[in-house]
Amino acid sequence: MIKNILVPIVFLFTLVTFAQEGTSSPYSFYGLGDVKFKGTAENRAMGGLTVASDSIHINFQNPASYAALKLTSFTVGASYLTTKLETNSQKENARRTALDYLAIGLPFRKGGVGFGLVPYSSVGYKIQSTTTEDPITIKKYTGTGGINKVFFGFGYQILPKLSLGADMSYYFGKIETNGIKYIQDVQYGSKENNKSDIYGFSTTLGLNYQTKINNKLTLLGSLTYATQGNLRSSNSRTISSVQYSASGTEIQIDPLEIPVDNTTLKLPSKLAFGVAIGQQKKWLIGTEITNQRSSNLGNRFNDISNVKFENATKYTLGGYFIPNYNSFSKYLEKFTYRAGLRYENTGLIINDKSINDYGLTLGLGIPITGSFSNVNIGFELGKRGTTSAGLVLENYANISIGLSFNDKWFVKKLYY
């Protein structure tokens, strides 16, 4: 019943969502949900560019970057998203806040390690469609849950200009979707409830290269490869009749467990290559191309017929500028100003329409006086989807905030 939730949608309704639901997108029904982690706040402010590594920021997307750490770093990030959802006939607004990441990086001689927690993907939507022909039929669709990722990685400088790294990630989470159908003047409606428990592993390998072109300019390159992972989805489905009490409480009648197959979802392999040029602690501009083999990705349940997947590609252009990193008298000149552009073919095809995502980003890195710590703020305007073929166009604005606390740990005492 809920396999065609986007076709057609006559009336679209979304709730205000908070940290428990990291998305308000109907597209989160498919695949693994709406993949939320797109880098730290400083990466996202440059369109998602991850080629640059430094001594005080943790770069989760390339484990080789841990080798650049010189200080113990603790970082946490959150975001606030507002979305305008539009179909051919309706427009609605939605908001959500979410924790984006939490991690620690520890340096050691010629290397470093990093570990943390990332909410990888989210499912969160509430949709209602109503037919105007007899019999009048009301359909309601809801989805909640998501997948989290715990990771541990290390990086090591094997040559003065070259660092290698690897990390291991464990994915886990629960997703629940519901579909309810009512026919006017019929006492009971019908409800389909689907639940999935998801878990699995993946590995990412990384390489960073950095060399001086001349006295001022530095060339940087990065390469990452995430291996294909297998995520096990333990599924259950219940069918029942429903009605609502006077207080609005849902009452399920004669729930029936329906046998469904457990599935194995292919977490797509991903290859990313980036190159940048810049002047250390002054400016940088770079580009990155990411190809993801998402054509192997499937849905949690095998009876969804209006969707398929293709290989995804993302193009990123971004950079930063610091007016005067060592300024003592003008605090604003020590700020890091970031900007970027992003285009992404998400790999999701619904009703023969590819779902694309475009974004423009801006950001600030604000140093905390008297320390190596900083606050990073990013702003993103973007568009995803289309109103054709009964689908949904999402125009969104995202504000992300990241805190990076940095200090020296494990220093031997000189005096006793």
Side-chain angles (χ1 to χ4, degrees):
M1 179 175 64
I2 63 176
K3 62 185 178 181
N4 295 314
I5 65 173
L6 292 175
V7 186
I9 298 176
V10 179
F11 175 74
L12 174 65
F13 176 72
T14 55
L15 287 179
V16 176
T17 54
F18 294 93
Q20 296 86 349
E21 296 179 5
T23 184
S24 55
S25 172
Y27 296 115
S28 65
F29 173 78
Y30 300 101
L32 299 173
D34 191 7
V35 177
K36 302 308 302 175
F37 182 68
K38 299 179 180 178
T40 60
E42 52 270 22
N43 295 145
R44 295 183 68 168
M46 297 186 290
L49 187 71
T50 64
V51 64
S53 300
D54 60 44
S55 61
I56 60 173
H57 292 104
I58 305 174
N59 182 355
F60 309 151
Q61 292 168 295
N62 187 343
S65 67
Y66 299 141
L69 291 175
K70 301 303 179 185
L71 300 175
T72 298
S73 299
F74 171 79
T75 185
V76 60
S79 59
Y80 174 77
L81 177 69
T82 63
T83 307
K84 180 180 179 181
L85 300 105
E86 180 181 350
T87 68
N88 284 326
S89 58
Q90 292 289 326
K91 296 179 182 180
E92 293 292 340
N93 296 317
R95 303 188 300 272
R96 63 94 176 165
T97 58
L99 175 70
D100 289 333
Y101 53 87
L102 178 69
I104 294 176
L106 302 172
F108 59 85
R109 187 173 180 269
K110 290 189 176 182
V113 297
F115 55 92
L117 172 67
V118 173
Y120 176 76
S121 69
S122 294
V123 175
Y125 57 85
K126 188 170 184 178
I127 299 170
Q128 178 175 304
S129 66
T130 304
T131 63
T132 56
E133 300 176 355
D134 285 333
I136 295 176
T137 302
I138 300 173
K139 297 179 181 179
K140 298 179 180 180
Y141 307 98
T142 60
T144 58
I147 301 174
N148 299 305
K149 181 177 79 169
V150 176
F151 67 91
F152 175 83
F154 69 92
Y156 190 77
Q157 184 180 3
I158 60 171
L159 295 171
K161 299 179 181 181
L162 182 66
S163 299
L164 299 178
D167 74 24
M168 172 68 75
S169 299
Y170 174 68
Y171 298 81
F172 64 97
K174 297 178 181 290
I175 295 175
E176 180 174 354
T177 58
N178 292 284
I180 299 176
K181 179 179 179 180
Y182 281 99
I183 298 176
Q184 190 178 43
D185 299 326
V186 175
Q187 182 179 5
Y188 298 107
S190 60
K191 179 178 181 178
E192 177 183 306
N193 173 263
N194 294 314
K195 294 181 180 179
S196 299
D197 290 316
I198 299 172
Y199 54 92
F201 291 91
S202 76
T203 302
T204 299
L205 307 175
L207 179 151
N208 267 348
Y209 178 79
Q210 181 173 319
T211 186
K212 282 281 190 180
I213 298 176
N214 54 39
N215 290 336
K216 290 186 176 181
L217 296 181
T218 300
L219 177 68
L220 302 93
S222 71
L223 182 69
T224 58
Y225 177 70
T227 62
Q228 179 177 281
N230 291 325
L231 302 186
R232 181 70 172 172
S233 180
S234 299
N235 304 318
S236 65
R237 173 173 291 165
T238 302
I239 303 294
S240 61
S241 297
V242 293
Q243 67 175 167
Y244 289 91
S245 66
S247 63
T249 303
E250 181 183 294
I251 302 172
Q252 295 192 42
I253 302 169
D254 298 327
L256 177 64
E257 187 83 16
I258 303 297
V260 292
D261 294 330
N262 294 330
T263 52
T264 299
L265 302 176
K266 300 293 185 181
L267 189 68
S269 63
K270 182 168 63 175
L271 179 66
F273 171 74
V275 62
I277 189 171
Q279 184 177 342
Q280 190 175 25
K281 297 181 180 180
K282 184 66 176 180
W283 63 270
L284 178 137
I285 185 169
T287 185
E288 195 164 353
I289 300 175
T290 303
N291 181 265
Q292 183 170 278
R293 305 292 293 180
S294 51
S295 59
N296 295 326
L297 182 63
N299 291 293
R300 299 181 301 279
F301 293 83
N302 292 323
D303 57 352
I304 299 176
S305 59
N306 67 321
V307 63
K308 56 186 177 180
F309 298 91
E310 62 183 346
N311 292 336
T313 306
K314 181 172 71 172
Y315 301 94
T316 294
L317 175 67
Y320 67 79
F321 173 70
I322 306 173
N324 187 352
Y325 180 82
N326 295 313
S327 177
F328 290 100
S329 59
K330 297 181 180 179
Y331 180 58
L332 292 180
E333 290 189 354
K334 300 178 68 173
F335 282 25
T336 302
Y337 299 87
R338 301 183 175 99
L341 296 169
R342 172 180 54 79
Y343 165 76
E344 183 177 359
N345 169 15
T346 65
L348 179 62
I349 303 175
I350 305 176
N351 302 329
D352 297 322
K353 291 289 184 180
S354 294
I355 306 302
N356 297 322
D357 194 348
Y358 310 82
L360 167 67
T361 62
L362 299 170
L364 280 177
I366 304 172
I368 298 176
T369 303
S371 72
F372 292 101
S373 302
N374 53 79
V375 179
N376 295 286
I377 301 173
F379 180 72
E380 180 179 23
L381 287 175
K383 180 174 70 173
R384 177 170 64 171
T386 176
T387 56
S388 63
L391 302 180
V392 178
L393 174 64
E394 301 175 357
N395 291 288
Y396 58 85
N398 183 81
I399 299 175
S400 56
I401 298 177
L403 305 178
S404 182
F405 301 101
N406 308 283
D407 204 350
K408 287 187 176 181
W409 288 12
F410 314 115
V411 178
K412 291 183 178 180
K413 292 183 179 180
L414 297 180
Y415 303 99
Y416 296 89

